[in-house]
Amino acid sequence: MAMLIRIHPDNPDPRGLMQIIRCLRDGGVVVYPTDTVYGIGCDITNQTAMEKILRFKDINLKKTNLSMICEDISQASQFVKPIENSIFKLMKRNTPGAFTFILNASNNIPKLFKANKKTVGIRIPDNKIVRSIVSELGNPILSTSVKNDDDDTPWDEYLTDPSLIQERLDYIADIVIDGGMGGIEGSTVVDCTSSSYSLIRQGKGILIEQ
């Protein structure tokens, strides 16, 4: 059964974090809190774990933008082409926050991202738990919501309560992090693949433009 680990959202326990990081380094799948909905992910350098999650979500690599959670813009810049100054300022104003920024991917992205598209989604959530994990891990983690699009169960049935997520996703997750109740609204998605940006989906994040 997936292990449920409670982590304080404001003061994450280092021992609990290290247990999670060891799991990720060993190719484990982890459910984690963000500033929007609970996500499910793994170390982006572990292709086997990524493939497991993509099968669970029934993700078509040719049609879907894959996203990763980064600690900050500096880490994100390792996986994307040089960021236009206007886009950098936009990201700086709005991170950490409830946004997914679609950027042009560089050749440093993992194999499965390359099989996806020439773009990558970057999340820098306003959540200390998941950013602490990414910081200590040294790699971004795959970012996708725990909700399977083929599942018609309402969000509030099981996707906001970590203990219910543990029961529901026991067959795929190795660890479920209890960082408090999750939300039901996804991130705001912003296309930043050119010098001017465009809003793809309005979610929880309210974009600060100036």
Side-chain angles (χ1 to χ4, degrees):
M1 184 171 183
M3 183 182 301
L4 185 69
I5 298 181
R6 291 179 174 83
I7 302 288
H8 195 283
D10 298 320
N11 187 25
D13 171 29
R15 288 178 297 178
L17 291 178
M18 286 309 302
Q19 189 174 0
I20 295 160
I21 290 158
R22 283 195 297 269
C23 176
L24 288 167
R25 286 177 176 161
D26 289 340
V29 172
V30 171
V31 172
Y32 53 84
T34 72
D35 50 359
T36 56
V37 300
Y38 265 87
I40 184 167
C42 62
D43 186 334
I44 63 164
T45 65
N46 191 297
Q47 182 166 326
T48 301
M50 283 187 63
E51 288 173 344
K52 182 179 179 181
I53 294 170
L54 298 183
R55 285 195 300 271
F56 159 68
K57 291 294 300 275
D58 194 23
I59 289 175
N60 184 330
L61 288 175
K62 294 182 179 179
K63 296 182 179 180
T64 307
N65 276 308
L66 291 181
S67 298
M68 60 176 73
I69 288 183
C70 296
E71 179 188 7
D72 51 28
I73 299 175
S74 177
Q75 186 182 57
S77 67
Q78 300 173 40
F79 301 93
V80 301
K81 291 183 178 179
I83 302 171
E84 293 271 356
N85 191 47
S86 59
I87 298 299
F88 178 85
K89 289 180 178 178
L90 179 75
M91 293 178 68
K92 191 75 173 175
R93 284 193 298 269
N94 291 280
T95 57
F99 300 94
T100 299
F101 296 99
I102 308 299
L103 294 163
N104 294 306
S106 71
N107 290 328
N108 292 331
I109 58 171
K111 183 178 177 181
L112 283 178
F113 281 82
K114 291 178 182 178
N116 173 228
K117 292 184 177 180
K118 293 183 179 180
T119 58
V120 61
I122 298 295
R123 282 276 280 128
I124 305 172
D126 188 12
N127 182 281
K128 187 175 289 187
I129 294 172
V130 71
R131 283 193 292 116
S132 296
I133 290 168
V134 168
S135 174
E136 189 63 35
L137 180 66
N139 299 318
I141 59 176
L142 180 67
S143 174
T144 185
S145 71
V146 293
K147 183 174 175 60
N148 192 318
D149 292 338
D150 293 333
D151 191 344
D152 294 328
T153 308
W155 279 89
D156 56 5
E157 285 289 319
Y158 70 95
L159 293 171
T160 58
D161 186 330
S163 61
L164 296 181
I165 294 173
Q166 178 194 25
E167 293 176 10
R168 189 83 177 204
L169 301 185
D170 178 58
Y171 68 98
I172 183 171
D174 297 292
I175 290 176
V176 174
I177 302 170
D178 181 352
M181 294 296 288
I184 60 172
E185 189 174 14
S187 64
T188 293
V189 181
V190 187
D191 185 341
C192 298
T193 55
S194 65
S195 56
S196 60
Y197 60 88
S198 60
L199 198 64
I200 295 178
R201 182 187 74 191
Q202 181 64 58
K204 182 179 177 181
I206 305 300
L207 200 65
I208 302 171
E209 301 186 59
Q210 298 291 338

